[in-house]
Amino acid sequence: MVKKSTDTKQPMQKASHFYPPVVAVLGHVDHGKTSLLDAIRKTDIALKEHGGITQRIGASKIEFIHEGTKRQITFIDTPGHEAFAKMRGRGVSAADVGLLVVSSTDGVMPQTKESISLLKDTEIPFIVVLTKSDLPNKNAEKVRQQLLKVDVLLEGYGGDIPAIEVSAKTNSNIKELLELILLVFEVKGENPSFSENGQFKAIVIESKLDQKAGPKATIVIKNGSISIQNEISADGETGRVRTIIDDKGIHLKKATVGDAVEILGFEKVLPVGSIVIRGPDKGSSNDATPRSTTESLERSTLSIVLCADTLGSLEAIVNAIHKEVNIVLQKTGEVSPADVLFAKSVNAIVIGFNTRVRPDITKLCVVEKVLFKNYSIIYELIDEINDVIRRKQLKVEEKIFGKAKILASFPFEKTKVLGIAVLEGRVAKGDKVTLTRKDEIIGESRILSIRIGKNPVSKVEKGHEAGVVILPFLDFTIGDMLISHG
Ligand code: GDP
């Protein structure tokens, strides 16, 4: 789990604490997906080190410096709509963040709508990328209005989906897009229970038969790590990892969360969308299947380990439960000591449905301070859980984290930095903010970065001054107030 720094005097954490977000790019044909990915790849500092090797798998990991720290993002190139569609319905997404590419000259087209529906189904947070902003006939405002009409509620227009205008031709806002991806991932897309030591889970995004080497699969690792020689299984097939190769063609001994790698080791060509786990295939009942990586906004998420008597009741519960509930493990059968310890490790509660509860499990839950509830009536279970979520959401909505006054304005690259003094609470990176002028709301935005003096910090407390960059930019004036909330 990535912990946010709370010490304003410390620089950001070391890169090893961060997992790369996995990003999928969707949008109408000719709207600039390929050009965007090419422009992004050119920013990769590692590519220069490796002499610009041509990419060999349908994903690429780029490295760049973010606030003085080396960060990485993995882009999935190939899935396109078809593969994305294959992955949905399995309750998982290979990507943590989506980019909805819309040409700022052509606007919303049929495949844009299809992409929106895929993104919404998968429930991953996404960013609208308005491409071709260098063209004279662009009309970003019109495109924003079109998006609102198809229920893409943009930031600054009453929603919280960020939009950014870029050009793959002039490279304008490409770096800012990368920063925005990190921000969206940190705020909305990151699953705090995923770690390199967690239960291994990966998704096949490409699969083919190599005449010489045998079946090859490109996988995106969502949780845990794999190493050469590990036993793995997917789609009822068990294999042993023979090679792991990254997007730059480098042979690795080990790969971990956020990596996209090609592996050899299965005897058959796996279907795209298959889930790869460690060890022999035990069937779906033992598979730890977090439903999605989006439900991780810590403040509003309730994580549960769910054990039900039958697959039928398990599915019924999963379908009826509030989308904000993060089911970190679901299985049929009785609650085991390992389930309780896993729940403890990810800060989840254990919910049983019609399962036998051994006395030693009840005792273990008390000792380990893991909340356990067993139900025998489905609607009671659903009602109680959904009620907890609703109450949590209410609390979040009401929460104001801090208030700051705008004292100055400094030009910074192509935008302006807001010089603020925090009057109440605190203002933190990633916070939603409302800009007000004499109690009138001017607009909604989000804190992209904060600096105290020259140092990037993650938050600024009452009594301190700082420079903040907000995205989208709002036309502020000195004396305006910035209200930060969840
Ligand atoms: P895709 O089908 O979505 O992958 O779109 P492409 O990346 O192939 O782009 C389609 C066309 O738009 C190509 O002719 C590109 O050169 C052009 N294009 C893409 N991005 C930009 C941009 O930012 N500015 C300009 N002027 N043209 C662009």
Side-chain angles (χ1 to χ4, degrees):
M1 168 175 163
V2 176
K3 290 230 164 54
K4 308 244 153 57
S5 164
T6 49
D7 186 348
T8 52
K9 293 201 176 56
Q10 291 299 312
M12 294 291 288
Q13 306 92 324
K14 289 204 187 78
S16 59
H17 291 232
F18 296 106
Y19 298 117
V22 179
V23 178
V25 185
L26 284 93
H28 195 77
V29 66
D30 271 351
H31 277 203
K33 296 182 290 298
T34 316
S35 312
L36 177 67
L37 280 166
D38 285 346
I40 288 171
R41 256 184 238 115
K42 280 189 212 132
T43 64
D44 184 5
I45 50 174
L47 200 64
K48 293 194 187 91
E49 285 164 24
H50 294 112
I53 290 163
T54 46
Q55 193 196 335
R56 44 172 294 145
I57 59 172
S60 45
K61 187 154 83 173
I62 63 131
E63 235 170 59
F64 66 107
I65 304 294
H66 170 69
E67 295 183 341
T69 305
K70 203 187 263 185
R71 297 291 303 265
Q72 298 173 321
I73 303 179
T74 298
F75 286 90
I76 305 176
D77 305 349
T78 51
H81 295 199
E82 200 190 325
F84 217 87
K86 277 188 197 156
M87 283 175 213
R88 80 170 158 177
R90 291 182 185 244
V92 289
S93 157
D96 302 303
V97 176
L99 298 186
L100 176 67
V101 163
V102 192
S103 152
S104 47
T105 55
D106 296 347
V108 172
M109 302 291 263
Q111 283 167 304
T112 318
K113 290 185 188 159
E114 205 179 293
S115 307
I116 295 167
S117 125
L118 282 170
L119 287 163
K120 284 195 171 170
D121 269 13
T122 327
E123 296 180 351
I124 57 170
F126 66 95
I127 298 167
V128 171
V129 184
L130 299 167
T131 52
K132 312 193 188 185
S133 69
D134 57 291
L135 292 175
N137 58 335
K138 66 158 185 180
N139 193 343
E141 190 46 42
K142 187 172 146 203
V143 181
R144 284 192 171 91
Q145 295 300 336
Q146 289 176 342
L147 285 164
L148 289 175
K149 281 202 188 113
V150 289
D151 263 348
V152 175
L153 302 178
L154 299 174
E155 264 180 1
Y157 294 76
D160 67 351
I161 299 172
I164 183 165
E165 291 178 39
V166 306
S167 164
K169 202 170 174 190
T170 64
N171 290 329
S172 140
N173 267 353
I174 298 292
K175 183 83 199 296
E176 287 76 4
L177 171 61
L178 300 179
E179 314 236 306
L180 187 57
I181 292 170
L182 292 183
L183 180 72
V184 167
F185 178 58
E186 278 168 24
V187 176
K188 296 196 220 171
E190 208 170 6
N191 194 317
S193 66
F194 286 175
S195 82
E196 56 194 287
N197 303 319
Q199 194 165 359
F200 180 75
K201 189 176 134 203
I203 300 169
V204 175
I205 59 162
E206 269 183 331
S207 192
K208 62 183 174 210
L209 184 64
D210 184 292
Q211 290 307 332
K212 273 196 212 143
K216 279 181 171 176
T218 304
I219 59 167
V220 169
I221 302 177
K222 303 306 296 177
N223 196 23
S225 310
I226 46 161
S227 304
I228 302 283
Q229 285 301 324
N230 281 162
E231 193 180 18
I232 46 173
S233 42
D235 207 43
E237 184 84 4
T238 299
R240 195 171 288 281
V241 181
R242 279 192 281 134
T243 55
I244 306 174
I245 305 176
D246 75 4
D247 57 313
K248 296 179 174 81
I250 295 165
H251 284 252
L252 307 174
K253 288 203 175 82
K254 185 181 172 188
T256 186
V257 187
D259 287 342
V261 288
E262 184 181 271
I263 54 165
L264 287 180
F266 282 107
E267 294 304 318
K268 73 167 200 182
V269 178
L270 296 171
V272 166
S274 305
I275 293 170
V276 185
I277 57 165
R278 277 272 290 279
D281 188 23
K282 295 189 213 127
S284 59
S285 64
N286 281 325
D287 185 8
T289 31
R291 281 202 309 188
S292 106
T293 57
T294 61
E295 296 143 342
S296 59
L297 191 55
E298 277 168 276
R299 290 187 294 271
S300 63
T301 299
L302 172 70
S303 296
I304 66 169
V305 166
L306 180 63
C307 305
D309 55 345
T310 64
L311 207 52
S313 46
L314 192 66
E315 278 173 6
I317 296 165
V318 170
N319 287 332
I321 221 156
H322 199 291
K323 284 193 183 116
E324 287 288 324
V325 177
N326 187 16
I327 305 175
V328 288
L329 172 68
Q330 61 188 67
K331 61 173 246 185
T332 53
E334 62 184 51
V335 182
S336 71
D339 299 334
V340 175
L341 296 175
F342 175 65
K344 184 185 165 78
S345 71
V346 296
N347 214 0
I349 63 172
V350 180
I351 301 289
F353 180 73
N354 269 342
T355 53
R356 203 168 71 87
V357 184
R358 298 194 324 241
D360 59 316
I361 292 293
T362 320
K363 219 162 136 189
L364 183 65
C365 287
V366 173
V367 172
E368 296 294 339
K369 297 195 176 64
V370 172
L371 186 65
F372 172 63
K373 274 197 96 166
N374 201 18
Y375 295 83
S376 53
I377 300 172
I378 279 203
Y379 70 80
E380 272 185 11
L381 184 161
I382 305 286
D383 277 2
E384 277 199 41
I385 299 275
N386 289 354
D387 211 40
V388 172
I389 282 290
R390 269 191 294 273
R391 265 183 273 135
K392 276 187 170 232
Q393 281 177 337
L394 274 178
K395 258 197 235 152
V396 170
E397 275 163 23
E398 286 163 7
K399 185 115 188 143
I400 288 179
F401 296 139
K403 290 185 181 169
K405 190 169 188 170
I406 300 174
L407 302 180
S409 160
F410 312 101
F412 173 69
E413 292 178 359
K414 280 172 218 139
T415 180
K416 274 188 216 157
V417 175
L418 289 67
I420 60 163
V422 181
L423 307 180
E424 280 174 38
R426 98 287 186 280
V427 172
K429 211 173 106 175
D431 280 356
K432 278 190 189 167
V433 285
T434 305
L435 181 74
T436 63
R437 193 169 299 154
K438 294 191 185 114
D439 289 336
E440 192 190 322
I441 293 176
I442 306 297
E444 302 273 339
S445 184
R446 200 182 276 280
I447 304 280
L448 186 63
S449 65
I450 308 179
R451 275 170 199 264
I452 295 183
K454 284 204 174 112
N455 299 326
V457 295
S458 56
K459 68 175 175 180
V460 50
E461 306 273 358
K462 178 180 170 181
H464 289 86
E465 293 185 1
V468 301
V469 174
I470 55 170
L471 199 107
F473 181 75
L474 298 172
D475 198 11
F476 66 93
T477 58
I478 288 163
D480 287 353
M481 294 291 292
L482 208 56
I483 297 163
S484 146
H485 45 91

